[in-house]
Amino acid sequence: LAILAKAFSVAAVGLDTGLLRSILREAAQRLEDLDTPALLVLLRVLLEIGTVTCFATTQQPLLLEAVNRLDCMHSQELAVLSYICAAGLGLDCDPSELSHDFLHLSCQA
């Protein structure tokens, strides 16, 4: 699923594609089966092909799953999630400055 979503990013296809919406639905139904790196790839790709507003509203199940995994993430995974949250919220800051608590709150917003 993450590879298919990445293909949409490379092709510069927007979030309004029916196939991409189907990928999102499938990913949301299989969250427990997605490993953390794949979840982060999906979130990052969806951020790249959507707008900030679209990102915040259409990725909610994926973001909530990321919150559930925060305590188990490795430092590199936390760095990726920090970038995703900062960019998704339109923040102009160094993502490494985002605290664990901020990530927790921003992913649930």
Side-chain angles (χ1 to χ4, degrees), residues 12-38:
V13 175
L15 284 172
D16 57 348
T17 304
L19 181 57
L20 183 57
R21 292 197 183 278
S22 295
I23 290 170
L24 283 173
R25 274 193 304 276
E26 188 68 25
Q29 292 173 358
R30 297 175 180 238
L31 286 175
E32 65 280 350
D33 296 332
L34 286 175
D35 61 9
T36 299

Side-chain angles (χ1 to χ4, degrees), residues 50-105:
T51 64
V52 171
T53 304
C54 244
F55 178 77
T57 58
T58 60
Q59 283 35 277
Q60 193 63 25
L62 301 176
L63 289 168
L64 290 174
E65 182 64 22
V67 166
N68 291 335
R69 298 180 186 191
L70 268 177
D71 292 332
C72 299
M73 287 186 184
H74 301 290
S75 59
Q76 184 177 4
E77 293 167 337
L78 285 171
V80 171
L81 184 60
S82 294
Y83 165 80
I84 291 167
C85 288
L89 293 171
L91 300 177
D92 186 24
C93 67
D94 180 357
S96 66
E97 297 174 359
L98 300 181
S99 70
H100 188 275
D101 290 337
F102 181 83
L103 286 174
H104 197 276
L105 290 172

Side-chain angles (χ1 to χ4, degrees), residues 1-10 13 15 20 38-50 55 59 84:
L1 293 174
I3 292 169
L4 282 172
K6 183 65 177 169
F8 278 88
S9 175
V10 170
V13 175
L15 284 172
L20 183 57
L39 174 65
L40 294 173
V41 167
L42 277 171
L43 284 169
R44 189 169 187 159
V45 166
L46 294 170
L47 174 64
E48 290 172 2
I49 61 177
F55 178 77
Q59 283 35 277
I84 291 167

